[in-house]
Amino acid sequence: MAKLSSGPTFPISISRHTYHHRVTACHVATPTTTTTIPFADLHPSLEVIGGARNRLLPALHSALRHPYDPFPFIAWNPHVETIFASFFRSIPDVRLRRECLRTQDGGTVALDWVAGDQYQLPPDSPILILMPGLTGGSENSYPRHMLTKARSKGWRVVVFNSRGCGNSPVTTPQFYSASFVGDMREVVEHVSGIYPEANLYAAAWSLGANILVRYLGDESHACPLSGAVSLCNPFNLVYAFEEFTKGFNRVYDKALARSIRNIFKRHILLFEDIGGEYNIPLALNARQVRDFDEGLTRVSFGFKSLDEYYYKASCFHSIKHVQVPLLCIQAANDPISPVRAIPREEIEANRNCLLIVTPKGGHLGWVAGAEAPLGGPWTDPVVMDFLEHLERGTHKTVESSTGPLTVTSKNLHHAEV
């Protein structure tokens, strides 16, 4: 671990440790003095708020000083943009290596790494864990574009395919849910164990973003990630599912329900003779996502009603507990993750959070920027600017009563005394 010359003293808090010479959980508090970016330079087409605005905006200034310029014709309607991005955006050709991780409860998730990176990249290369949205996986265009962007900058990238997604196996009669962070916790621990010298980051979309933010809040000060990005996050599932019942949004609802049914049908034998409150016929013939959640999901995870599940699984409760840098990017016209669900007050109150709202973008669209219309979304370079800014700042020198500490943000910011 490289030693740096001693600098200013930063306060630290230790959340857990071993009684040896190595402190294994040292969080470095952010200095209260920060370089203030001239906010007048931010383009008015973008809404940028958050308690971390002063501290994190310098990393994004080059992108945010220009207008959000959606691609003509495609972005005039949020549904057109959403559908175009889903069906016509290019899918980068990347050779992946699959690792199946057996979880403590006997379930299985699939981790897709870039083939050959285990030999080509240094062991301390920063790692980005990608988590797609509901029924999404490494075969989708949006995680693949993010993967290639990060890989081009020397990052090690792994796509976390949830149970049954991305053709991953299902080995127990339980899928994943918006409320369940256990698999995320095990994936982070597993990846950290393979590359103990590397800093870990995560980026997630849609329902995956909801799970990621819940994980960040649950882990709070003990979170082993050095930073995270949330995109198209529904934040409040009650509002999101209210939107699903309106107008053209029913098309998305039916399409997602069909995808869930197809996954469920491939593994139906696991659910034979299952008792309790389960309603397998309802889940098997779900016409809406709500049908599947009522027949299977909310029962699997111990909720008494669908309303209770959607409310308690919503990640807006978790924002106040997030203790690592978090960038949230939303589109004001997102038809699935409504802008009214964004927890602006909580994001403003948390000094670790930054929110960017673009005027257009649809859901998982953002057909704008240098690569539009068929290339990566506008968000990809913004995400990488944010993550690389964090990675550059992970090595700091602090002083304590026992002398200088060299600190890196790996796991809980490992510190050597």
Side-chain angles (χ1 to χ4, degrees):
M1 185 180 297
K3 303 283 183 183
L4 302 178
S5 59
S6 62
T9 300
F10 299 120
I12 62 174
S13 61
I14 298 177
S15 53
R16 67 171 182 267
H17 62 274
T18 57
Y19 294 93
H20 301 291
H21 295 296
R22 182 184 298 272
V23 180
T24 61
C26 174
H27 277 292
V28 181
T30 304
T32 55
T33 57
T34 57
T35 301
T36 302
I37 187 173
F39 295 145
D41 286 351
L42 296 177
H43 198 273
S45 64
L46 299 165
E47 178 188 359
V48 183
I49 65 171
R53 179 166 163 156
N54 282 2
R55 178 163 57 99
L56 297 177
L57 266 186
L60 308 174
H61 189 225
S62 61
L64 302 186
R65 65 192 300 267
H66 300 292
Y68 179 82
D69 190 17
F71 195 81
F73 306 112
I74 294 172
W76 72 273
N77 178 282
H79 302 299
V80 171
E81 187 168 10
T82 299
I83 294 170
F84 178 89
S86 178
F87 286 95
F88 299 106
R89 177 169 277 153
S90 63
I91 301 177
D93 185 15
V94 182
R95 195 163 63 92
L96 300 174
R97 172 180 60 88
R98 171 154 293 190
E99 176 188 10
C100 288
L101 175 65
R102 183 60 62 93
T103 60
Q104 292 182 1
D105 68 348
T108 304
V109 298
L111 303 179
D112 288 341
W113 306 80
V114 178
D117 275 2
Q118 68 271 36
Y119 309 116
Q120 298 170 7
L121 293 177
D124 61 349
S125 298
I127 299 174
L128 178 58
I129 301 171
L130 302 179
M131 189 173 185
L134 179 63
T135 75
S138 57
E139 75 277 9
N140 293 115
S141 64
Y142 60 94
R144 289 228 175 187
H145 277 287
M146 187 74 257
L147 181 151
T148 55
K149 180 70 70 175
R151 182 60 187 84
S152 71
K153 296 181 178 294
W155 286 55
R156 192 186 311 276
V157 188
V158 56
V159 181
F160 165 25
N161 300 280
S162 295
R163 305 184 189 204
C165 298
N167 291 317
S168 61
V170 176
T171 52
T172 64
Q174 178 173 291
F175 288 102
Y176 70 106
S177 78
S179 65
F180 183 56
V181 301
D183 287 351
M184 183 72 193
R185 184 175 292 112
E186 292 195 47
V187 166
V188 171
E189 291 176 356
H190 175 73
V191 173
S192 176
I194 298 175
Y195 297 102
E197 300 175 47
N199 296 315
L200 270 61
Y201 303 83
W205 295 263
S206 197
L207 191 72
N210 187 87
I211 296 171
L212 173 60
V213 172
R214 281 183 53 86
Y215 166 78
L216 298 177
D218 283 3
E219 295 294 295
S220 194
H221 289 282
C223 184
L225 298 178
S226 297
V229 180
S230 158
L231 302 108
C232 294
N233 195 328
F235 287 114
N236 187 322
L237 297 174
V238 176
Y239 290 167
F241 278 94
E242 285 177 358
E243 295 298 316
F244 256 14
T245 65
K246 299 177 181 178
F248 191 84
N249 284 2
R250 297 187 184 97
V251 173
Y252 307 130
D253 192 9
K254 291 180 180 179
L256 286 169
R258 182 172 58 251
S259 296
I260 297 172
R261 285 199 316 267
N262 291 338
I263 293 173
F264 186 47
K265 287 177 182 178
R266 289 198 295 268
H267 306 284
I268 188 62
L269 292 179
L270 288 169
F271 297 85
E272 287 290 328
D273 300 324
I274 195 168
E277 297 181 46
Y278 290 95
N279 188 335
I280 300 304
L282 179 62
L284 195 59
N285 298 286
R287 306 293 295 176
Q288 300 175 298
V289 175
R290 292 179 63 93
D291 295 337
F292 187 85
D293 287 341
E294 173 61 38
L296 192 77
T297 308
R298 67 107 184 150
V299 183
S300 294
F301 293 92
F303 294 98
K304 296 178 181 179
S305 69
L306 206 54
D307 289 340
E308 182 192 32
Y309 165 52
Y310 288 151
Y311 179 76
K312 290 186 176 180
S314 299
C315 73
F316 74 88
H317 305 289
S318 303
I319 289 290
K320 63 184 176 183
H321 301 298
V322 173
Q323 296 297 321
V324 300
L326 171 64
L327 171 63
C328 303
I329 309 180
Q330 303 287 123
N333 68 346
D334 191 321
I336 295 176
S337 299
V339 69
R340 67 187 176 108
I342 298 174
R344 285 182 169 83
E345 291 184 5
E346 291 84 350
I347 290 173
E348 284 270 32
N350 189 322
R351 66 186 182 88
N352 298 297
C353 296
L354 180 67
L355 168 69
I356 300 172
V357 182
T358 59
K360 296 185 178 182
H363 190 72
L364 304 176
W366 285 301
V367 184
E371 298 184 26
L374 299 178
W378 175 87
T379 50
D380 283 0
V382 178
V383 170
M384 286 313 303
D385 284 349
F386 173 77
L387 294 177
E388 293 213 290
H389 172 76
L390 297 182
E391 177 64 10
R392 286 191 297 269
T394 52
H395 292 278
K396 297 182 183 294
T397 300
V398 299
E399 294 282 346
S400 74
S401 59
T402 58
L405 297 175
T406 299
V407 177
T408 175
S409 63
K410 170 64 197 79
N411 269 346
L412 298 171
H413 300 275
H414 284 188
E416 285 190 348
V417 180

